[in-house]
Amino acid sequence: MEKLTRVSTISGRTMFCHLDAPANAISVCRDATQVVVAGRNIFKIYGLEEDGFVERLNLRVGRKPSLNFSCADVMWHQMEENLLATAATNGAVVTWNLARPCRNKQEQLFTEHKRTVNKVCFHPTEVNMLLSGSQDGFMKCFDLRKKESVSTFSGQSESVRDVQFSIKDYFTFAASFENGNVQLWDIRRPDRYERMFTAHTGPVFCCDWHPEDRGWLATGGRDKMVKVWDMSTSRVKEIYCVQTIASVARVKWRPERRYHLATCSMMVDHNIYVWDVRRPFIPFATFEEHKDVTTGIVWRHQHDPYFLLSGSKDSTLYQHMFKDASRPVDRANPEGLCFGLFGDLAFAAKESLMSAPPSVGDVGRKTYPGGDRRYPIFFFKKPDVTEQFEQVSSALSVFESEAGSSVGMDWFINTAQSYLLSGKPFGELCEHNAQVAKRLNRPQESTTWTMLRIMFSEPANPSLSSNHNLNKSGNLPLVNRKLKEWIKDVFLCAENEETEGSEGQAEYLFGDAELDDDDLYSMEHDNQAEEPEYLLPQEAFPLRHEIIDHPSAPEPVQERPESPHVSGSETESTCLTSTESFSLISVSQLLFSPHLPPKFFCPIVKEMLCYYAEQGDVQMAVSVLIVLGDRIRKEIDELTQEHWYMSYIDLLQRFELWNVSNEVIKLSTCGAIMCLNQTSTTLHINCSNCKRPMSNKGWICDRCHQCASVCAVCHHVVKGLFVWCQGCSHGGHLEHVMEWLKHSKHCPAGCGHLCEYT
Amino acid sequence: MSKLLKTVSVINTVDTSHEDMIHDAQMDYYGTRLATCSSDRSVKIFDVKNGGQILVADLRGHEGPVWQVAWAHPMYGNILASCSYDRKVIIWKEENGTWDKMYEYTGHDSSVNSVCWGPYDFGLFLACGSSDGAISVLTCSGDGHWDIKKINNAHTIGCNAVSWAPAVVPGSLIEQPTGQKPNYIKRFVSGGCDNLVKLWKEEDGQWKEDQKLEAHSDWVRDVGWAPSIGLPTSTIASCSRDGRVFIWTCDDPAGNTWTAKLLHKFNDAVWHVSWSITGKILAVSGGDNKVTLWKESVDGQWACISDVNKGQGAVTSITDSQQNEQ
């Protein structure tokens, strides 16, 4: 408890200061009030004040400092507050005593290593014991009371990258090597390591003992991984593995946080990452202040998890506050959502959120494999939500749209497959499509088809003729307006109906509107008696021209004989019952002849098609466009049509309805659409002389400079129909080859090939 | 007849065996494959034919959490792009049943948050938005070579989402004086940590900021340009950490005047918006772990037609009151 109260005195903010030169390493004194920065050209002590760094002491003294000042590493003794050790790039191990009265604080100099010393490490509890690891492959243990090293450990391998005394085991230290190995030594036995294992592929740049767990060692390598090893068991076991983004140059366990460690890289990446080893994929926090690689990181106090100090090649020294760290997981999107083609939804979400009510932070927890769920004690003391960071998993669900709902796309597929667009008389097509729409519970579309049939084809039954006379000049605008209203009504109501899902609404409306406005029907039934009845031809498209061909000679309205009176209900039934409507179309007749030019309905139909397209139902727009053909085609500008066609064809292809798509392309009247079918047809031909593929489009093969299309029979150049054998590339005029093959099975060119013409 | 209308129900939960959080799930063009990506650095591809899901590929190559995936149009082959915290964009291609890296883009200085393929009619090209504030547009010029254009400082602090305008910008066709076929101008929309939604267009081979749409009061997390199937207006949906979802529409063929309509204010951050294929229904997912579906009614108001609650499996309904609002 005593240590915690002391920790609480540490305060400060995120701050930095400029150094004179790039730093190689930093170390902090025991009471967390001063930090030493060492590098090739810098060796200074800074005081950590509330609001900034204050330079306290420059240890580089002399006019021309010796190479002994060029530091690769530095360590401040954790018990003796005046004692520091540095590892020099020239192989020297130097100790410094701040209590020395003169300017030069150098205390002892050991020059036993032959190459750069990468690391120095004081024993955590033994005041006079210092360990070094060097590029020359040796580790040396010094007793500071003696002039020379007391023991030398040979790693029997390449250079030593890091040495660390175990915090809990007095005699043990770990060393990491260039070749990927980690060795464990007993300080009393310099002859042979206790254990050795391969930790990484490539150099192991660093290692760090867990401050609490005596068996845990974290190692970081050039292979971008941080691994946590349990050394307490008889066989060294890898218990966690964190994959970082760049090679790992430094690793430091975070104080008071059992599963957290900080890493930095010496290549590419300038950031400092703090990981929770249980969630090895995403950093818990990052510090992104440095502009060049970070060379040294150290937690300011061994019992304080909130302050991290770092030195960098960008010649700055930073104090990072944990609350200012960026948290990648906060930026991360915890959900995935995708609207599928068929109206289905793929939705991925954090599993924890699914059952628990939404709450702040990542409280979701899941047992991680092989792990242990116990919280370290301090977690209970300080239930800090922002500090909770554990492995989270997501669940992915696929939601499928319910049949018949507005979200699904079943209707689209069914409709596309069932609609008839050609091959039958206009009326039958409309009727068929109306039935299809009705069957698929789409009353609005069904009604539309029925309306179209009525508008553009001719009521056949003369008995239905209305006795209402239409005063053309007087009533037309009115009719037009009413018709528009009526159509609007149908749309609005059909929409309601669709949402309510009941049937029969359309019929009701239809009848209703009809009863309100007899004029409407009068148009349909006017005049028909005079027209001769005839059957529609059975070909696909003559209908297109029918209306146009018909003379629109005005005929006096009054001349028509009286038709039998039709009641509203009767009309209604003719419109909507299939039996009668069949009789309607089998004998068709021009609907509005003389007084109502065929174009009369076109603006309304156009409006309707646009409405459908706007509703996203481009299928309806295109289908109507095709079925109506020339009746409407000229009314809608080419580009809009093309847009509809393209959209529809695109949709059809997405649903892999190739046949329908092809049919639509074939039936389209837009030039740009029709040529879609021809775009990917390529014919590869070989030259008949040299049998190489023809690369240019002309007559002459560019390889043998001979004319490629010479008739093998008459030796003239073939213009027009050319038939050739795919086996030997020879051929000629169709009639010549046919003639030839009556007599011979061999190639007329005399190549000996048994030609096959199919 | 009940007023409750079922629109979606859960069919199954896919066992992705991802080891960490899933950040994105995308279905391909034909709706038969599902790609997921996760913090565990992997991208997985599932066959979702016939209601079942079979893992067909597990793509490893990223060195950090993978934020987003995007399918290219199948006319270029089976191509998938993924972007990651490791600052890379990887373009994967399936050949003879095996997936390999086709291209790796390392031009960003920070996490790449979003990828989106442009409309296929105009080639194979991709936009990516990054936390370094830049947006890159990569265009495949054949032979595995990619042409790169970078928009620096597109969004200060970072770009979270990008989405392309459909090939045919609505209105450009309809209001066109006859004769001339309009030149397609490549456009996309982006959303960022500066709370802005920005529109970009290509002019003479250069990317320029076209519009700046301000309405959100916190990071914009996702933007979605609606498909234009026969529609006369351009529509964009944007969602933000502030809980708001806006629908932006533009009737003007030049694309200069955009009007915002608030779809809804949720209580929690909204992470995703996704349009249905016809562009008429919008799916929205938020921090409360719910998916809601929205449809514009005849009078132009957006109404919730369904909500899907994860915890309860499948709950879908329109309440009477909601329906009355329609």
Side-chain angles (χ1 to χ4, degrees):
Chain A
M1 220 48 319
E2 176 236 359
K3 65 190 180 192
L4 281 177
T5 47
R6 203 176 53 209
V7 169
S8 66
T9 61
I10 292 181
S11 61
R13 56 186 182 87
T14 294
M15 59 190 188
F16 76 100
C17 74
H18 287 289
L19 308 173
D20 315 327
N24 274 342
I26 60 171
S27 186
V28 72
C29 74
R30 187 194 165 118
D31 62 3
T33 55
Q34 294 181 88
V35 59
V36 57
V37 180
R40 217 166 251 279
N41 295 307
I42 184 172
F43 191 20
K44 277 183 183 175
I45 290 173
Y46 287 88
L48 288 155
E49 300 287 325
E50 186 86 9
D51 48 357
F53 292 98
V54 178
E55 187 179 327
R56 289 276 162 76
L57 187 63
N58 188 355
L59 291 156
R60 271 175 81 85
V61 289
R63 190 169 294 166
K64 196 171 174 239
S66 77
L67 274 175
N68 294 341
F69 287 102
S70 168
C71 306
D73 191 33
V74 64
M75 186 166 179
W76 203 313
H77 204 291
Q78 293 302 296
M79 296 168 73
E80 192 62 61
E81 60 184 27
N82 284 325
L83 195 58
L84 286 93
T86 58
T89 50
N90 63 354
V93 173
V94 192
T95 59
W96 312 80
N97 187 354
L98 302 179
R100 280 169 72 99
C102 58
R103 277 186 67 219
N104 192 342
K105 308 290 183 188
Q106 184 173 327
E107 179 120 311
Q108 266 183 300
L109 179 69
F110 305 98
T111 51
E112 295 181 30
H113 285 293
K114 302 210 165 42
R115 297 179 63 192
T116 299
V117 178
N118 286 322
K119 205 74 191 175
V120 284
C121 181
F122 283 113
H123 195 278
T125 49
E126 189 60 57
V127 178
N128 290 311
M129 205 186 288
L130 175 70
L131 191 65
S132 67
S134 160
Q135 200 76 12
D136 62 12
F138 292 99
M139 296 145 280
K140 288 181 187 290
C141 185
F142 304 94
D143 185 328
L144 299 182
R145 292 161 296 195
K146 295 176 181 168
K147 293 265 182 242
E148 286 166 0
S149 64
V150 288
S151 46
T152 300
F153 309 86
S154 168
Q156 306 278 335
S157 100
E158 296 163 69
S159 47
V160 185
R161 298 307 300 234
D162 200 356
V163 283
Q164 293 288 340
F165 274 112
S166 166
I167 292 162
K168 300 285 177 186
D169 295 319
Y170 185 88
F171 296 111
T172 308
F173 73 89
S176 73
F177 292 87
E178 192 92 9
N179 61 3
N181 288 343
V182 170
Q183 293 176 354
L184 232 59
W185 290 82
D186 187 315
I187 203 84
R188 297 161 296 185
R189 291 196 56 189
D191 54 325
R192 203 187 138 72
Y193 51 79
E194 297 284 292
R195 15 168 69 165
M196 182 175 81
F197 59 96
T198 303
H200 294 268
T201 49
V204 188
F205 289 135
C206 53
C207 59
D208 194 34
W209 290 95
H210 197 283
E212 316 269 330
D213 270 286
R214 72 173 54 211
W216 286 17
L217 180 75
T219 59
R222 196 172 64 191
D223 59 2
K224 305 181 183 179
M225 284 193 248
V226 176
K227 290 180 180 175
V228 179
W229 307 88
D230 186 353
M231 318 284 265
S232 58
T233 49
S234 58
R235 204 168 166 272
V236 176
K237 204 171 75 185
E238 178 187 324
I239 47 175
Y240 293 107
C241 177
V242 175
Q243 291 205 358
T244 69
I245 291 161
S247 63
V248 182
R250 299 272 190 261
V251 58
K252 290 276 180 242
W253 287 99
R254 187 177 175 200
E256 311 286 310
R257 294 292 179 272
R258 183 186 168 101
Y259 297 103
H260 289 191
L261 48 80
T263 67
C264 68
S265 170
M266 276 199 204
M267 275 181 285
V268 193
D269 200 344
H270 313 158
N271 297 345
I272 300 162
Y273 299 95
V274 180
W275 303 84
D276 185 315
V277 292
R278 296 163 300 175
R279 195 170 175 189
F281 307 109
I282 183 165
F284 171 56
T286 65
F287 299 101
E288 298 167 355
E289 282 86 0
H290 285 298
K291 302 283 182 292
D292 201 341
V293 289
T294 308
T295 47
I297 48 173
V298 61
W299 294 94
R300 183 169 163 187
H301 190 275
Q302 56 177 323
H303 294 291
D304 178 89
Y306 300 110
F307 292 88
L308 180 73
L309 302 168
S310 68
S312 160
K313 283 258 189 268
D314 66 4
S315 305
T316 56
L317 174 67
Y318 260 94
Q319 169 169 280
H320 308 278
M321 278 282 288
F322 219 79
K323 67 174 171 57
D324 295 331
S326 86
R327 306 287 185 97
V329 81
D330 287 352
R331 296 188 77 133
N333 202 331
E335 291 172 355
L337 175 69
C338 176
F339 225 128
L341 184 59
F342 301 95
D344 39 354
L345 277 172
F347 179 49
K350 268 198 292 188
E351 223 152 34
S352 54
L353 274 173
M354 272 184 290
S355 42
S359 50
V360 193
D362 306 311
V363 290
R365 53 179 301 120
K366 204 192 166 219
T367 50
Y368 41 90
D372 139 350
R373 285 186 54 163
R374 279 173 301 138
Y375 277 116
I377 281 185
F378 45 81
F379 266 24
F380 289 114
K381 283 183 181 163
K382 295 186 280 181
D384 182 356
V385 197
T386 61
E387 288 289 324
Q388 292 183 26
F389 182 78
E390 284 176 53
Q391 194 166 1
V392 174
S393 69
S394 296
L396 177 65
S397 303
V398 176
F399 297 86
E400 201 176 50
S401 57
E402 289 274 314
S405 78
S406 54
V407 180
M409 290 297 280
D410 299 344
W411 62 269
F412 179 90
I413 301 165
N414 285 331
T415 309
Q417 286 168 338
S418 312
Y419 269 1
L420 280 182
L421 301 178
S422 68
K424 284 195 173 167
F426 171 72
E428 274 182 53
L429 293 178
C430 288
E431 183 55 35
H432 175 89
N433 294 346
Q435 292 299 323
V436 167
K438 197 170 178 186
R439 198 178 69 230
L440 295 171
N441 200 16
R442 309 183 71 220
Q444 185 182 351
E445 284 74 9
S446 177
T447 313
T448 306
W449 282 111
T450 312
M451 273 161 45
L452 286 172
R453 194 200 69 220
I454 294 165
M455 285 176 187
F456 286 92
S457 71
E458 307 72 29
N461 199 336
S463 67
L464 286 177
S465 294
S466 148
N467 53 358
H468 288 267
N469 288 349
L470 182 69
N471 182 334
K472 185 181 163 193
S473 52
N475 280 359
L476 250 178
L478 177 73
V479 169
N480 201 346
R481 188 178 54 80
K482 287 201 169 167
L483 193 64
K484 274 188 180 172
E485 277 170 13
W486 171 63
I487 285 175
K488 212 170 277 172
D489 277 352
V490 170
F491 282 152
L492 284 175
C493 298
E495 182 129 302
N496 289 341
E497 184 191 15
E498 196 177 42
T499 46
E500 279 162 32
S502 74
E503 284 184 45
Q505 185 92 341
E507 273 175 63
Y508 163 72
L509 275 165
F510 202 87
D512 201 25
E514 191 271 333
L515 282 171
D516 283 350
D517 188 0
D518 272 7
D519 289 343
L520 184 68
Y521 275 80
S522 68
M523 294 185 305
E524 289 161 16
H525 306 310
D526 272 347
N527 266 346
Q528 39 204 262
E530 274 116 320
E531 295 294 328
E533 295 180 7
Y534 59 89
L535 281 168
L536 278 177
Q538 293 298 310
E539 286 83 9
F541 276 107
L543 264 178
R544 279 187 187 167
H545 312 289
E546 207 173 347
I547 291 175
I548 296 163
D549 288 346
H550 248 272
S552 49
E555 228 170 290
V557 184
Q558 295 85 353
E559 278 178 28
R560 282 180 300 116
E562 287 290 297
S563 311
H565 177 78
V566 182
S567 77
S569 58
E570 268 178 49
T571 321
E572 182 188 324
S573 64
T574 34
C575 297
L576 290 155
T577 54
S578 57
T579 42
E580 264 197 273
S581 43
F582 256 100
S583 65
L584 264 177
I585 22 169
S586 58
V587 268
S588 63
Q589 209 172 17
L590 248 199
L591 162 59
F592 21 82
S593 54
H595 334 281
L596 290 175
K599 289 198 169 178
F600 177 74
F601 291 108
C602 286
I604 297 139
V605 172
K606 179 189 174 185
E607 207 171 288
M608 178 194 78
L609 292 187
C610 291
Y611 169 82
Y612 272 116
E614 275 174 45
Q615 291 306 300
D617 189 358
V618 77
Q619 178 178 53
M620 188 69 188
V622 171
S623 302
V624 170
L625 204 57
I626 290 175
V627 169
L628 285 180
D630 281 350
R631 293 176 184 84
I632 188 72
R633 190 159 64 88
K634 294 204 172 59
E635 295 297 314
I636 299 168
D637 73 282
E638 191 90 340
L639 285 169
T640 310
Q641 285 190 40
E642 194 184 310
H643 177 41
W644 290 349
Y645 272 117
M646 289 302 281
S647 303
Y648 187 42
I649 289 165
D650 202 53
L651 276 181
L652 288 170
Q653 291 183 346
R654 284 194 82 160
F655 285 102
E656 301 180 76
L657 298 163
W658 311 109
N659 292 341
V660 185
S661 147
N662 197 44
E663 192 191 356
V664 169
I665 294 173
K666 235 164 66 188
L667 292 174
S668 76
T669 44
C670 291
I673 304 298
M674 284 193 289
C675 69
L676 281 181
N677 261 5
Q678 289 147 27
T679 47
S680 52
T681 313
T682 323
L683 211 55
H684 296 280
I685 48 173
N686 284 352
C687 169
S688 61
N689 286 312
C690 61
K691 296 190 177 151
R692 299 264 186 73
M694 295 275 285
S695 49
N696 56 355
K697 285 180 181 164
W699 296 82
I700 308 290
C701 170
D702 56 353
R703 286 201 174 77
C704 60
H705 303 291
Q706 297 269 339
C707 185
S709 48
V710 172
C711 175
V713 183
C714 69
H715 299 286
H716 286 101
V717 174
V718 183
K719 287 174 180 165
L721 280 178
F722 183 75
V723 61
W724 73 97
C725 168
Q726 290 183 18
C728 67
S729 309
H730 295 122
H733 292 101
L734 177 61
E735 58 268 36
H736 290 169
V737 171
M738 281 167 76
E739 187 67 28
W740 178 273
L741 287 176
K742 281 181 189 163
H743 311 296
S744 171
K745 282 182 177 170
H746 290 273
C747 176
C751 70
H753 186 253
L754 283 168
C755 290
E756 276 182 60
Y757 296 92
T758 47
Chain B
M1 173 150 180
S2 165
K3 289 253 179 182
L4 295 175
L5 183 70
K6 268 202 159 183
T7 48
V8 284
S9 66
V10 85
I11 49 167
N12 44 18
T13 306
V14 183
D15 178 19
T16 58
S17 62
H18 275 301
E19 294 167 63
D20 205 310
M21 202 191 283
I22 298 171
H23 300 294
D24 197 17
Q26 289 294 325
M27 296 211 214
D28 74 344
Y29 185 78
Y30 296 124
T32 55
R33 280 180 166 190
L34 178 66
T36 59
C37 61
S38 156
S39 273
D40 70 3
R41 294 139 198 271
S42 67
V43 174
K44 296 189 183 194
I45 299 171
F46 299 87
D47 254 327
V48 288
K49 275 175 190 158
N50 309 322
Q53 289 85 22
I54 307 152
L55 178 72
V56 291
D58 185 348
L59 312 181
R60 305 269 171 170
H62 280 295
E63 292 168 322
V66 188
W67 300 134
Q68 250 185 38
V69 287
W71 290 95
H73 190 273
M75 75 180 274
Y76 300 103
N78 287 327
I79 294 176
L80 186 74
S82 59
C83 63
S84 159
Y85 184 73
D86 67 3
R87 304 158 188 194
K88 283 191 256 185
V89 174
I90 298 182
I91 295 166
W92 310 84
K93 184 166 190 178
E94 184 189 29
E95 245 152 338
N96 305 320
T98 53
W99 286 88
D100 278 312
K101 274 185 204 174
M102 180 186 180
Y103 181 67
E104 194 172 290
Y105 174 61
T106 51
H108 283 290
D109 302 326
S110 189
S111 166
V112 186
N113 300 321
S114 183
V115 281
C116 183
W117 292 99
Y120 67 93
D121 319 50
F122 304 99
L124 187 62
F125 56 103
L126 175 82
C128 15
S130 163
S131 286
D132 65 7
I135 297 171
S136 299
V137 179
L138 318 180
T139 308
C140 183
S141 51
D143 305 332
H145 186 265
W146 292 76
D147 179 48
I148 288 139
K149 290 212 175 89
K150 199 165 169 185
I151 310 168
N152 286 314
N153 297 317
H155 289 277
T156 43
I157 321 176
C159 171
N160 292 324
V162 284
S163 176
W164 286 90
V168 179
V169 177
S172 65
L173 288 182
I174 294 162
E175 308 298 333
Q176 200 74 18
T178 50
Q180 287 278 303
K181 191 181 169 134
N183 289 326
Y184 170 69
I185 301 166
K186 288 180 190 166
R187 287 168 190 270
F188 68 87
V189 59
S190 65
C193 302
D194 51 6
N195 310 346
L196 293 174
V197 172
K198 286 185 177 180
L199 297 173
W200 305 87
K201 69 176 173 189
E202 194 181 30
E203 271 177 9
D204 310 321
Q206 294 303 313
W207 284 97
K208 293 199 173 120
E209 186 180 315
D210 188 28
Q211 293 283 314
K212 192 188 281 181
L213 309 180
E214 287 176 72
H216 290 293
S217 57
D218 205 336
W219 290 12
V220 179
R221 291 305 317 212
D222 200 6
V223 286
W225 203 312
S228 77
I229 305 259
L231 310 174
T233 46
S234 295
T235 310
I236 291 170
S238 67
C239 66
S240 159
R241 275 208 317 209
D242 65 10
R244 278 187 268 259
V245 177
F246 280 101
I247 304 291
W248 304 86
T249 50
C250 171
D251 298 319
D252 147 33
N256 292 329
T257 43
W258 290 82
T259 45
K261 182 176 274 177
L262 181 66
L263 178 111
H264 190 66
K265 165 90 171 74
F266 293 86
N267 294 326
D268 211 333
V270 185
W271 295 104
H272 270 300
V273 286
S274 179
W275 287 101
S276 72
I277 178 166
T278 54
K280 296 314 286 182
I281 298 169
L282 182 71
V284 177
S285 79
D288 52 1
N289 230 43
K290 268 186 181 172
V291 180
T292 46
L293 302 184
W294 299 79
K295 193 170 194 270
E296 193 179 15
S297 60
V298 187
D299 57 351
Q301 292 304 309
W302 287 85
C304 179
I305 56 167
S306 170
D307 67 48
V308 181
N309 192 318
K310 207 60 192 284
Q312 297 160 49
V315 175
T316 58
S317 62
I318 306 179
T319 62
D320 286 50
S321 62
Q322 277 171 317
Q323 192 156 53
N324 291 341
E325 281 166 24
Q326 292 186 349

